Amino acid sequence: MNYAELVKKLRQKLVLSQTEMAAYLGTSFESVNRWENNRNEPTIKMKRKIIELCKRNGIEIEVID
């Protein structure tokens, strides 16, 4: 699994739009959209937030490319 798949899976489990997910993480809609479309990768700081959210919401984190 890569971050594009992980972010999308997390967002769908939390039933959030990309805009809502961006607000939740403290970033922009454009960033979330780019991550999900595999055009950019989250920063280290955002990766930590994403992984923490996954852990809190019971989303299994597989090997990330």
Side-chain angles (χ1 to χ4, degrees), residues 4-60:
E5 295 166 348
L6 184 60
V7 169
K8 191 169 191 170
K9 183 177 179 179
L10 175 61
R11 188 175 61 77
Q12 289 173 340
K13 176 157 181 151
L14 297 176
V15 192
L16 298 172
S17 68
Q18 288 182 342
T19 302
E20 292 167 328
M21 181 71 155
Y24 199 79
L25 290 171
T27 192
S28 67
F29 158 81
E30 289 82 4
S31 291
V32 174
N33 185 270
R34 287 181 190 129
W35 300 338
E36 285 192 17
N37 289 298
N38 214 16
R39 285 181 287 185
N40 284 61
E41 205 171 274
T43 63
I44 295 295
K45 183 178 177 180
M46 282 297 145
K47 286 178 180 180
R48 288 184 188 131
K49 284 185 175 185
I50 292 164
I51 290 170
E52 183 57 37
L53 262 178
C54 288
K55 288 178 182 178
R56 280 190 288 179
N57 289 284
I59 295 173
E60 188 174 320

Side-chain angles (χ1 to χ4, degrees), residues 1-3 5-6 60-65:
M1 180 179 299
N2 60 31
Y3 278 97
E5 295 166 348
L6 184 60
E60 188 174 320
I61 301 170
E62 300 166 16
V63 175
I64 297 178
D65 300 336

